Amino acid sequence: MSGITGWLDRVRDLRDADATTARLTADLVARGRHGTGSWHSPRAMLAQCVDAAWHGSAEPARVRQSDETVAVAVCDGYLHNAGELWSAAGSGETSVPSVAEVVLHAYLRWGPAAVQRLEGNFAFAVWDARSGELVLGRDRFGIKPLSYSPVEHGVVFSSDVAALAAHPLVAPEVDADGLCALVTQLRRPGHGVLRGLREVPPGHTVHLTSEGETARRYWTLEARPHELDLGQTIERVRGLLGEAVDGELRGTEPAVLLSGGLDSSALTGLAASTSGLAPRTFTVAFGDTAAAVPDRPYALDVVRFWNCRHDEITVRPEELSDPVTLAAVLAAKDHPSPFGDKNITPYLFSRQVAGQVPVALSGEAADTVFGSLGFRADDGHEFATFPWIERSRGWGMEHGIGTGLFDPELLRGVDVGGYCDRLFREASAEVPGLREDSPLDRLGRQADYLTMTRLLEQAVHHSERLAAMAGLQLRFPFLDHRLVGFLYNVPARMKSFDGHGKSILRTIAKDLVPESVLTRPKVPYPITYADSYKSALVRRLRTLLDDSTAPVRPLIDAPGVEKIVADPALLDRGGWYGRANVEMVLQVDAWLRRLRVRISI
C-alpha cells in the first residue's frame, strides 16, 4: 500500500517550511515503506510513500513544458487498466510507468473527467500549476483513505489523519458531533471526526481553488429495472465476478486470504480457474483460543480441492497485548474502534503474509453485495435505524457495539440518539429506487445502500488499513463497481431464491468449492478466549482508572468501569460484546493521546 500527502499555501513560500513538509511525509510510513518521493514549489508540496507492489519511480509524477512545471501528481493504490490508459493518453511511450504518471497523463488528456476512466482502488492528488487548482480524487467505494483540512491560505491533505493533526496550522479538536461520530463509528460522507476535517467522499473528486472548494460526484449506485431471469442473472454475475478477479490479479501471482467460508473459498476457486495457477492461500490459526467452530478443516478442504500452495499462520495470544503492536494497530486504523483482537489479529496475520507476497485477495463485502441482509425476505420488516445498530440494540447496546462504558449523561447531552437518527434519515433519503419497487425490494435496496455507504468503514476499510500498515496490499474483487451496480438491482427474492442468504454466490460456487464449504454454518471472524489477553485488558483498564489525567476520563462511566475492574468476569457478558466496551474506551484514550485532541463539547 502507499500513501500521499501535500500542502497548498497561497501566501507562504513552502520551500522555507522543510520541517513541516518532512513531518507530513514521515508520517506516511504507516502506508508505504518501499520508497519516498516529494516535490516542492513556492506554493505547493506533494509527496508519496510507496509499497512493495508499486511499479516505477517513487517520485511524484511531473510534466514540464518550456522548463516550467505544468502539473504534478501523487497516487495511492493501483489501476487495472493502467496500460490501456497510458496508451490512450497519448504519452508516446510504450512501457507503463507508475500509477501517479498514468493518473497525471490521463488528467492532462481528459481533464477532471479522467477519473471516470480509472479502474481500481486509488486516491490521488493533482496540482495543476497552470490554474493553481488542486484536485483530490478517491475510488468509488473509498477503499483508499484521503482526508484534507482547510487551513489559513490553503489546504493540507494526507492519507493519514494523524499527519494532518500534527500540522502546525491544524488544531485537532472534537466537538459534540465528533464525539457522536467517535462512539457510533458513523460519519457523514465527506466529514471527519475532528472539527473542520474533511474526507474526499467515495466516488468523488474535490477541487480546491483560490475561490473555495467544490466536490463533484463521478459515480454512485443507480436504480434500474432488472430484466433478466434467474438463470441469466446467475450467468451474468459469474461473468462479472470472473472479470473482477482477472482485473485484480493482473500483474500479480494469485494469492488469497482463505478463511474456509463461502466468500473466500469461492474467491480461491475463481482465482484458480481465472489464472490457471494454483493460488497461494493463507489461513490464520489460533489453536485452543479460537471460536467454537474452527475454520481450519474447511480451509484445508479448499486447499486440497485446488491443490493450493498453503500457509497456516499462527497468532500467539501473547502477541495480542504487546504495546508496540497495539500502537501500530491504532496508527493503521486512524480511528478508535471496539474490535480489539479483531483488529490486532488481522494486522499480525497480514504482517506474516506480506513477508511472502505483496498482494492478496480478500473476500470481504460479499455479504453486502449478495444481499445477506440479516432478516427473512418475507417478514415485512422496516428499519428504524441502521441495520447494525438495530441488531446491537437487540443485544442491549443502545448506540452500537462498544458504547456501553461511556457516561450515559454525556451521551444524552450530546444527543447521540438524535445524531444517529439524523444520519439514518439522511442516508435513507439518498437510497436510489424505482417507483415500481415492491416493499421488499425497497427494503433490500435500503439495507444494501446503507451498508455499502455507511458500514464499509468497519469492514473493508478496516482490513485495508491494517494490511497496509503490515506491508500487504489487499484487493477486494467483490467490490467491483460493475458487479455491485448490477446486483444492487437484482430483486431481493432472487438474491435468496433458495431460502438462504447469498443464494446466487452459493450457486456460482458449486463447481468452485468442496461440498463441505457449501453447507457449513456461517461464523464470524474468530476471537481469542485466552485468559492472558483478558487479564491484560483489565490491567490496562485499571491503569486508566488510576490516571486522573487520562483524556478519556471525562467521557466514561467511571462506576461501570470500576465494576469491570473489580469483577473481570463481566468482560464475558454477552460473549464478546462486554469486552468490546472496554476495548473502545482504551482505544479512544490512546487515540486522544496520539493526536493530542482537545475535547470541546
Side-chain angles (χ1 to χ4, degrees), residues 256-261 264-265 268 281-284 299-300 302-303 310 349:
V256 183
L257 303 188
L258 174 64
S259 72
S264 63
S265 299
T268 301
T281 51
F282 302 88
T283 299
V284 65
L300 291 180
V302 176
V303 169
H310 185 64
F349 177 46

Side-chain angles (χ1 to χ4, degrees), residues 161-208:
V161 171
L164 295 181
H167 193 281
L169 295 180
V170 176
E173 183 179 356
V174 166
D175 57 16
D177 272 4
L179 181 59
C180 291
L182 266 184
V183 300
T184 64
Q185 302 174 81
L186 281 170
R187 302 196 294 277
R188 286 187 172 92
H191 293 261
V193 170
L194 299 176
R195 185 198 293 268
L197 186 72
R198 305 295 299 257
E199 295 177 346
V200 179
H204 282 69
T205 55
V206 173
H207 302 252
L208 299 127

Side-chain angles (χ1 to χ4, degrees), residues 298-588:
Y298 303 101
L300 291 180
D301 283 349
V302 176
V303 169
R304 287 188 288 267
F305 195 82
W306 288 106
N307 194 29
C308 301
R309 296 168 292 162
H310 185 64
D311 288 275
E312 189 172 89
I313 294 172
T314 300
V315 173
R316 302 187 307 275
E318 58 269 23
E319 295 180 275
L320 301 174
S321 301
D322 176 51
V324 175
T325 298
L326 295 176
V329 168
L330 179 62
K333 288 295 293 290
D334 234 359
H335 292 95
S337 77
F339 301 120
D341 59 305
K342 287 191 174 188
N343 287 335
I344 305 164
T345 299
Y347 166 70
L348 294 170
F349 177 46
S350 295
R351 193 168 65 182
Q352 294 196 53
V353 174
Q356 301 184 58
V357 296
V359 177
L361 304 186
S362 168
E364 289 211 61
D367 281 350
T368 297
V369 174
F370 283 93
S372 184
L373 306 179
F375 61 91
R376 289 182 59 83
D378 58 354
D379 66 359
H381 187 79
E382 290 187 9
F383 291 119
T385 186
F386 295 100
W388 53 97
I389 291 183
E390 185 175 274
R391 286 195 292 270
S392 75
R393 287 176 178 173
W395 301 323
M397 293 171 283
E398 177 64 20
H399 305 301
I401 295 172
T403 58
L405 286 178
F406 291 98
D407 182 359
E409 289 297 325
L410 174 70
L411 298 185
R412 281 191 288 271
V414 298
D415 194 15
V416 171
Y419 174 86
C420 287
D421 289 344
R422 289 195 302 275
L423 265 60
F424 173 70
R425 290 194 300 270
E426 291 171 3
S428 295
E430 298 171 6
V431 177
L434 301 174
R435 284 190 300 177
E436 59 267 29
D437 283 341
S438 69
L440 177 61
D441 286 332
R442 285 196 294 272
L443 183 66
R445 288 192 192 277
Q446 185 183 21
D448 288 353
Y449 186 87
L450 296 180
T451 306
M452 190 67 63
T453 63
R454 302 303 195 270
L455 188 63
L456 286 188
E457 186 67 38
Q458 300 177 36
V460 174
H461 301 176
H462 152 105
S463 299
E464 190 277 342
R465 285 144 183 72
L466 291 168
M469 171 62 86
L472 178 68
Q473 186 181 104
L474 279 190
R475 301 184 177 181
F476 306 92
F478 290 120
L479 277 181
D480 176 84
H481 67 96
R482 295 183 185 86
L483 175 67
V484 173
F486 178 80
L487 281 165
Y488 180 74
N489 290 293
V490 173
R493 292 195 189 279
M494 190 177 286
K495 289 180 180 178
S496 58
F497 66 85
D498 60 1
H500 300 286
K502 294 187 286 192
S503 301
I504 292 175
L505 179 60
R506 199 175 306 275
T507 301
I508 290 170
K510 284 182 178 178
D511 63 344
L512 297 172
V513 304
E515 181 67 21
S516 62
V517 172
L518 287 175
T519 57
R520 70 166 293 190
K522 181 177 176 60
V523 295
Y525 193 87
I527 64 172
T528 182
Y529 291 99
D531 289 337
S532 59
Y533 180 71
K534 291 188 283 187
S535 297
L537 275 183
V538 175
R539 286 196 299 272
R540 292 167 61 200
L541 197 60
R542 184 180 294 113
T543 299
L544 187 148
L545 269 182
D546 292 340
D547 182 2
S548 61
T549 66
V552 80
R553 283 291 296 272
L555 309 180
I556 64 174
D557 173 13
V561 172
E562 290 169 354
K563 286 180 182 177
I564 292 176
V565 170
D567 182 9
L570 293 173
L571 285 175
D572 298 321
R573 183 174 49 194
W576 171 78
Y577 300 111
R579 190 198 305 177
N581 291 329
V582 175
E583 304 273 17
M584 189 61 169
V585 165
L586 294 172
Q587 280 264 303
V588 170

